[in-house]
Amino acid sequence: MNIAFQNPFNFRCLLLVCLWIVSLPVFSEKLIQVKVVEPYLEVHSGPAGGYPVIHVAAKGTWITVLKRRTNWFKVITTDEVQGWVKQDELHLTESSQGQAVKLFDGSFDSFSERDMEFGILGGSFEGTPSITLFADWVATENISTGASFTQALGDLSESQYFLVSVQHTTFPQWRLSPYFKLGIGQIRTQPRANLVQSGDEARTSDLYTVGLGMRYYLARNFLMKLEYTNLQALTSRDENEEIEEWKLGFAVYF
């Protein structure tokens, strides 16, 4: 099966949209407020233990977390004092609901607490290049559901398919872990304009998929994924159309 991209501009636009969506989790951290419940909280002038203590926030003081640098967080107190607090000390504070604060820092220890994943995968769709944008919702450590959109390009035609899938991760506590996925969706194949007159017309088919993959935790909020997918397109002919695809790419989680 030969796939193509009819308009290269569409491909560039799709890539830019993918990069923009994937970057959203990285830059959308909202400010939070916490209350000091220990006798005091030391605020340093910089994001390391070697920087001097410039302020001591007393018990009952509310502080706002501004940003993170490794395991240090920049804060501002109600007295308008800005400085840096170590992550372990912020975990001794309380939220406005009176609950102990657990700041998501993107480390592997907090990986199981993620809610969403966004990513981009580049691949080979029956030997022709493809790009996939996906979003997954993590229900449990082992189970997640998601949606993806793929566009493939070749010399003769353009193909696009959309999938809704369920994924099972075998060993979620491992940095390198295999997973298995099942999905359903639709695929549309559009021949190039100069081929339409030959009788080859655009068609849309229902799609079933089975996939195997490996997920590797890189650092911070980033993952790498390698995936093989077998797609079965239901056609009007007696036999279904079988398509194989390999994908490799990155994801961010939050």
Side-chain angles (χ1 to χ4, degrees):
M1 180 178 181
N2 291 320
I3 311 300
F5 220 113
Q6 190 171 358
N7 188 346
F9 178 75
N10 291 339
F11 180 77
R12 291 194 293 268
C13 289
L14 176 62
L15 180 59
L16 290 174
V17 171
C18 292
L19 292 173
W20 175 73
I21 293 178
V22 168
S23 67
L24 287 179
V26 179
F27 298 104
S28 62
E29 296 181 38
K30 61 182 180 180
L31 301 180
I32 62 172
Q33 286 190 320
V34 297
K35 183 173 69 172
V36 179
V37 294
E38 296 294 309
Y40 62 90
L41 182 70
E42 294 182 341
V43 180
H44 295 252
S45 63
Y51 286 92
V53 175
I54 58 172
H55 182 73
V56 175
K59 183 176 181 179
T61 301
W62 286 92
I63 60 177
T64 302
V65 181
L66 301 176
K67 66 178 181 179
R68 178 185 66 227
R69 181 177 297 176
T70 63
N71 63 337
W72 287 78
F73 289 80
K74 189 174 184 179
V75 302
I76 182 170
T77 69
T78 52
D79 299 329
E80 300 297 324
V81 176
Q82 293 192 31
W84 295 83
V85 176
K86 194 172 182 180
Q87 177 181 317
D88 293 343
E89 295 186 14
L90 279 181
H91 286 170
L92 300 177
T93 61
E94 286 186 353
S95 67
S96 57
Q97 290 77 32
Q99 300 175 340
V101 171
K102 180 65 175 178
L103 294 172
F104 186 82
D105 61 0
S107 67
F108 185 68
D109 291 336
S110 62
F111 179 66
S112 61
E113 301 172 16
R114 73 196 188 285
D115 295 316
M116 297 289 297
E117 293 181 13
F118 293 92
I120 298 177
L121 303 172
S124 174
F125 186 87
E126 284 290 301
T128 57
S130 68
I131 184 169
T132 299
L133 170 66
F134 71 90
D136 291 337
W137 173 67
V138 182
T140 69
E141 286 189 348
N142 297 93
I143 304 295
S144 62
T145 61
S148 64
F149 174 80
T150 299
Q151 183 145 12
L153 58 117
D155 296 329
L156 301 179
S157 60
E158 172 185 339
S159 285
Q160 302 169 334
Y161 71 85
F162 175 80
L163 288 177
V164 176
S165 60
V166 177
Q167 178 177 302
H168 182 274
T169 303
T170 311
F171 305 103
Q173 71 277 15
W174 294 1
R175 295 176 71 95
L176 177 63
S177 178
Y179 61 86
F180 172 79
K181 67 188 304 182
L182 296 172
I184 59 173
Q186 281 194 331
I187 184 171
R188 175 179 172 82
T189 302
Q190 175 71 49
R192 295 175 66 99
N194 60 343
L195 296 177
V196 174
Q197 297 178 355
S198 66
D200 197 6
E201 299 179 351
R203 64 183 186 273
T204 300
S205 305
D206 291 332
L207 199 64
Y208 295 89
T209 68
V210 177
L212 295 172
M214 294 293 294
R215 179 211 73 202
Y216 179 69
Y217 171 82
L218 289 173
R220 301 287 293 184
N221 293 69
F222 289 92
L223 305 173
M224 176 180 285
K225 287 191 171 185
L226 173 64
E227 186 175 301
Y228 165 78
T229 306
N230 181 278
L231 304 97
Q232 296 284 337
L234 306 183
T235 67
S236 58
R237 302 186 296 270
D238 293 336
E239 295 182 358
N240 296 332
E241 186 174 7
E242 182 176 359
I243 308 166
E244 293 185 336
E245 184 175 21
W246 287 91
K247 301 176 183 178
L248 176 66
F250 299 91
V252 294
Y253 67 87
F254 65 102

